[in-house]
Amino acid sequence: MTNGPRMVELDVLRGFAVAVMILVVSPGSWAHSLPQLQHAAWHGWTFADFVFPDFLFGVGMALGLTFGRSLDPRDPRAFWLKLCRRVLGLILLGLALNYLAVVAGHLGAPPTGPDDHTTWRIPGVLQRIAGAYLIAVLVLLATSRRAAGVPMQPNPPAILAVLAVLLIGYWGLLTFVPVPGFGAGDLGMAGNLPAYVDRTVFGTEHMWPLGAASWRGPILYDPEGLLATLPASGNILFGILAICIWRRPERARIAALAIIGLGLVATGLLLDPIFPINKKIWTSSFVLLTSGLSFLALLVAAALLRARLTPLWPLKVLGGNAILAFSISIALSALSAIPLTFGGVTATLQERGFAIVSRLIPEPYEASLACAFGVVAFIMLLVWPLHRKGIHLRL
């Protein structure tokens, strides 16, 4: 729990990411979710695909602010205890949230995968954050500048070198390592290396139930699997670099953030024909594109705060307790799929809410989006008392 000074731009950036995450998982009707709030089926990207990498970028910014201070390797015992507590806490919380789908299944929620029962998924968003965070911290520990009497400082050239090895190495793995039954270089849903690793380690019964080529088809991949956590840590490392730039004088940092952001976006797009932009397997081109967009989003957040023309306090509220807000949204999503009987009519909370809103907003896509915004507002009100007291929960 923290109540000290905060970087408001970071809270706004994280709040934006969490708000859109909630919009993505909370439509009034899954059949009427806007295309840009749905993830790309495979290669390519949508607005929704940018959100999770942007959150990881925010994790990197927070790590850049705290490493060598509240997370200080000069006190090894406290450092490793705090690191283990955060990583294990995120993993356990992610597993608990995944288990809510099992509970909902036992209470009558329809299955979404190929089986007629809901299984306990092992990978997940919080598990991906934990793994990528651990990799980023270890990179910082190995590369940071050390000097007597001062906090350890990130070493940008060394981080860039690690990023190059990470992203080129991941491309090499997916291009040259053969997958049994498919060979090397197959980037299809079934034949790519990350999917094969996840099927081997977890078994399809513990993977994302929608990781299939068709509705209720056989599970092929998991978008938050093991191997793709390596490049996902790249988004965190780019967030650390953003903090290094942020500490420069204002005019210099604005120019640097803009140039780097535009350069990364252009590089990601140029590499797309060679290594397709793909969130599901978190390709290196996807890391570059989304990190570039995150640099630019940070500039936009700073500009909006300076102009004071847009009320950003809802994003500050969500960003100040981002993990809590996201966890509440996952819990609500699971509960909303449970059928309940009122007045002799059985329907889920999601169906009832959509029906009520549809009476006010006849257009189904607009009504579905209004329901999602309602969930965002509800969660914001739940975490508002903590924000008002300056309490920010973290693992």
Side-chain angles (χ1 to χ4, degrees):
M1 182 168 60
T2 64
N3 55 9
R6 299 180 65 82
M7 180 179 174
V8 182
E9 293 84 357
L10 174 56
D11 279 342
V12 169
L13 195 66
R14 285 191 298 204
F16 165 77
V18 171
V20 181
M21 281 182 178
I22 298 171
L23 291 177
V24 169
V25 301
S26 309
S29 166
W30 287 107
H32 298 96
S33 175
L34 293 175
Q36 283 301 313
L37 290 180
Q38 300 176 31
H39 295 293
W42 195 243
H43 293 327
W45 61 291
T46 67
F47 176 67
D49 290 327
F50 162 67
V51 178
F52 188 18
D54 187 53
F55 188 87
L56 289 177
F57 185 87
V59 171
M61 290 178 61
L63 180 55
L65 290 169
T66 59
F67 188 79
R69 294 167 177 82
S70 62
L71 187 65
D72 192 350
R74 292 177 298 178
D75 184 351
R77 184 176 182 277
F79 173 84
W80 290 107
L81 281 176
K82 185 174 289 187
L83 178 60
C84 291
R85 186 193 71 204
R86 288 179 179 174
V87 171
L88 292 177
L90 284 168
I91 291 173
L92 293 175
L93 179 58
L95 290 172
L97 292 174
N98 284 354
Y99 194 72
L100 289 178
V102 180
V103 174
H106 289 315
L107 295 176
T112 54
D115 301 319
D116 289 329
H117 62 280
T118 304
T119 57
W120 191 3
R121 180 190 177 199
I122 295 177
V125 169
L126 296 184
Q127 295 90 314
R128 165 64 57 81
I129 295 173
Y133 175 82
L134 175 61
I135 293 170
V137 171
L138 294 178
V139 169
L140 277 180
L141 189 62
T143 63
S144 291
R145 299 187 177 105
R146 304 165 191 262
V150 297
M152 295 177 65
Q153 297 294 321
N155 185 344
I159 293 175
L160 284 171
V162 171
L163 277 165
V165 171
L166 199 64
L167 299 182
I168 294 172
Y170 187 65
W171 165 80
L173 286 174
L174 270 61
T175 302
F176 299 112
V177 175
V179 173
F182 296 93
D186 189 328
L187 296 182
M189 289 186 181
N192 68 84
L193 183 62
Y196 171 74
V197 170
D198 292 333
R199 292 196 300 267
T200 302
V201 173
F202 301 122
T204 56
E205 66 273 14
H206 293 297
M207 291 167 59
W208 190 48
L210 296 176
S214 59
W215 171 249
R216 299 206 74 182
I219 296 173
L220 303 174
Y221 66 91
D222 194 296
E224 279 84 43
L226 276 178
L227 188 60
T229 301
L230 287 171
S233 68
N235 291 88
I236 296 183
L237 293 174
F238 274 118
I240 296 170
L241 291 177
I243 286 298
C244 296
I245 296 169
W246 191 261
R247 291 184 171 126
R248 297 181 180 180
E250 183 176 3
R251 187 171 297 179
R253 76 181 179 215
I254 290 174
L257 289 171
I259 292 170
I260 293 173
L262 292 172
L264 289 174
V265 169
T267 304
L269 294 174
L270 288 172
L271 290 176
D272 182 45
I274 301 170
F275 198 22
I277 295 169
N278 187 313
K279 176 189 179 293
K280 303 293 176 61
I281 51 177
W282 216 279
T283 53
S284 303
S285 56
F286 178 73
V287 175
L288 295 171
L289 171 68
T290 54
S291 296
L293 291 173
S294 293
F295 273 98
L296 299 178
L298 176 59
L299 277 178
V300 171
L304 291 175
L305 285 167
R306 175 180 286 270
R308 298 182 180 179
L309 299 177
T310 305
L312 298 177
W313 62 267
L315 300 183
K316 296 177 187 177
V317 172
L318 292 172
N321 283 287
I323 294 294
L324 176 61
F326 173 75
S327 299
I328 293 173
S329 74
I330 297 301
L332 290 176
S333 181
L335 294 174
S336 68
I338 300 172
L340 301 172
T341 301
F342 293 101
V345 178
T346 300
T348 66
L349 290 176
Q350 184 184 38
E351 292 168 341
R352 289 180 182 277
F354 183 62
I356 293 171
V357 174
S358 294
R359 295 172 193 163
L360 303 173
I361 307 175
E363 207 291 317
Y365 284 94
E366 294 177 1
S368 181
L369 182 62
C371 290
F373 272 108
V375 175
V376 173
F378 176 68
I379 293 174
M380 185 196 66
L381 290 175
L382 289 179
V383 300
W384 165 255
L386 296 176
H387 178 81
R388 186 178 58 185
K389 295 180 179 179
I391 298 173
H392 306 98
L393 302 176
R394 66 184 184 190
L395 294 170

